[in-house]
Amino acid sequence: MTCPINGPRPISEFVYGGAFRPMPDPDAANDIQWADYVFNRSGAAAVKIEWWCHSPSTTWFMVERDTARDVILRSFLYSDAAIEGAPK
Amino acid sequence: MPWRLVRFALSKKHPEPRMFAEPGELKSSYDAVIIGGGGHGLAAAYYLARDHGMTNVAVLEKGYIGGGNTGRNTTIIRSNYLTPEGVKFYDTSVDLWKDLSQDFDLNLFYSTRGHFTLAHTDSALRTMRWRAEVNKHYGVDSEVVGPSEILKACPQMDITCGGHAPVLGALYHAPGAVARHDTVAWGYGRGASLRGVEIHQQTQVMGIDVQGGKVRGVQTDRGYISTPKVLCAVAGSTPRMTDMVGLRTPIYIHPLQAMVSEPMKPWLNPILVSGSLHIYVSQSARGELVMGASLDPYEVHSTRSTLDFVEGLSAHMLDMFPFLSNAKVVRQWAGMADMTPDFAPIMGKTPVEGFYLDAGWGTWGFKATPVSGKTMAYTLANDRNHELIEGFSLSRFANYALTGEKGAASVGH
């Protein structure tokens, strides 16, 4: 996997942080919306944006990965992300 | 006693016909459609036909029956869970298991071995005590034992695990058992088929027709079927199905891998589980050591295997059994585990009328095959959740009322 800061590194150096899920505004969300954010997710196979961490350097970044084929398409820093629904 | 064997011994009519009839074309409508021809789907079909007289039922399986997680698990059966909901549910399952060979007139090789969950730390031992007390309260045979009792049952084990993870004790569950998993699917399939249920293999569901919040039918790659009731029992493919009816769930999929050693003469009688070493192991009737570990650490929707897994699991096996260093691994595989946040299943009715879920079976579905079939058949027939599955409804997440079963998953996935 390629870390956006440290470059290509063995996959054993990386830790999965789960799929990226945009957070609703905690003050505006009702209990149902908040429960949906906390628990529910898109579990079907797809190309997904995920959080990963390069653990020796504790660099958190984002990875676009096809979960059916387990193929990494690209990795980038969160600040670079043009993600639909991401908090500004 | 399987009387069929005696009959075949005295008869010239060999061999017996295939397990179930080829049903031919799909009908245009059924009283219920079950998606998924694994143990759970076939068990639900069996009990629907046997206990509720619903026989105009189709089971749709995209591959072949029992080819998913039913054929990929490590076949351990136990009821030493942690929450009252879990203990009652799995204990009913163990009771059903004991009679299944008789029920099917088919030998499941159901073998009661005793099940040790090893504790390598004080905190693990505390959880074992907690589980033992909950179990005893509900009449389940569980007790905390010390290293000497473990050694008595398994003298071959290095109780210090190479000196770096000494075993302090274990939760011992005498009814812990193993069974032949393929036969479970065949037995339920045959029992359902004999009562008129149609089992359509190589039939993929492409869409579920929902109108006005109600299920109307199912679109398959072999044509459209109209039906008012659909049971989704598809293990690692659940999110694809729930997407078809617009239902949000907390289910996520990680592969769970397992492997077997070459066959050896019988030496390991009990089932051993170590949470700290991430191992569960038993010896099959064929003499193979059946071994499993923890989930793969990230989401994948395929049944690929990895070298990491074999290396990690083998190293931990050698901690417990150094003499196995020359034993060969002959086979490894993976299943797709339908995980939920609280490690309990999602069962019963859903907000979509006529759409029933038997899902979220993660790493603990095989042992629940009989009871989930029975309770889902009840739920489908009466359109009312069976009392044993009330704690497992999808709505528990919206209500923040999770079941909290993770501590009983034996290895901390």
Side-chain angles (χ1 to χ4, degrees), chain B residues 217-261:
Chain B
V218 172
Q219 185 66 46
T220 77
D221 58 358
R222 294 171 56 203
Y224 182 84
I225 307 167
S226 69
T227 182
K229 292 183 180 190
V230 168
L231 169 62
C232 171
V234 296
S237 301
T238 304
R240 207 169 71 82
M241 295 291 144
T242 49
D243 280 356
M244 289 178 186
V245 297
L247 211 54
R248 300 256 304 150
T249 75
I251 293 171
Y252 57 103
I253 315 287
H254 286 219
L256 179 61
Q257 302 189 50
M259 67 186 197
V260 294
S261 73

Side-chain angles (χ1 to χ4, degrees), chain B residues 269-340:
Chain B
N269 192 50
I271 303 157
L272 296 178
V273 179
S274 165
S276 303
L277 297 178
H278 273 124
I279 283 184
Y280 32 99
V281 57
S282 64
Q283 191 168 19
S284 77
R286 283 191 293 221
E288 299 160 329
L289 296 177
V290 183
M291 297 166 273
S294 58
L295 285 173
D296 280 16
Y298 60 96
E299 183 178 28
V300 173
H301 294 263
S302 76
T303 51
R304 60 101 177 90
S305 303
T306 61
L307 182 61
D308 279 2
F309 161 78
V310 192
E311 286 180 339
L313 183 54
S314 303
H316 287 311
M317 277 300 290
L318 294 183
D319 283 340
M320 286 165 74
F321 303 109
F323 68 92
L324 287 176
S325 59
N326 287 321
K328 307 235 177 343
V329 171
V330 294
R331 211 161 61 246
Q332 73 174 113
W333 66 93
M336 286 190 283
D338 233 24
M339 304 306 297
T340 58

Side-chain angles (χ1 to χ4, degrees), chain A residues 16 19 31-32 34-36 39-46 48 50 52 65 67-68 70, chain B residues 239-240 243 248-254 297-302 304 341 397-398 400 402:
Chain A
Y16 175 64
D31 285 356
I32 297 291
W34 192 250
D36 182 65
F39 298 116
N40 291 341
R41 53 198 80 208
S42 311
K48 298 185 182 183
E50 300 171 331
W52 283 78
R65 189 172 65 91
T67 65
D70 193 13
Chain B
R240 207 169 71 82
D243 280 356
R248 300 256 304 150
T249 75
I251 293 171
Y252 57 103
I253 315 287
H254 286 219
Y298 60 96
E299 183 178 28
V300 173
H301 294 263
S302 76
R304 60 101 177 90
F397 298 101
Y400 300 87
L402 276 59

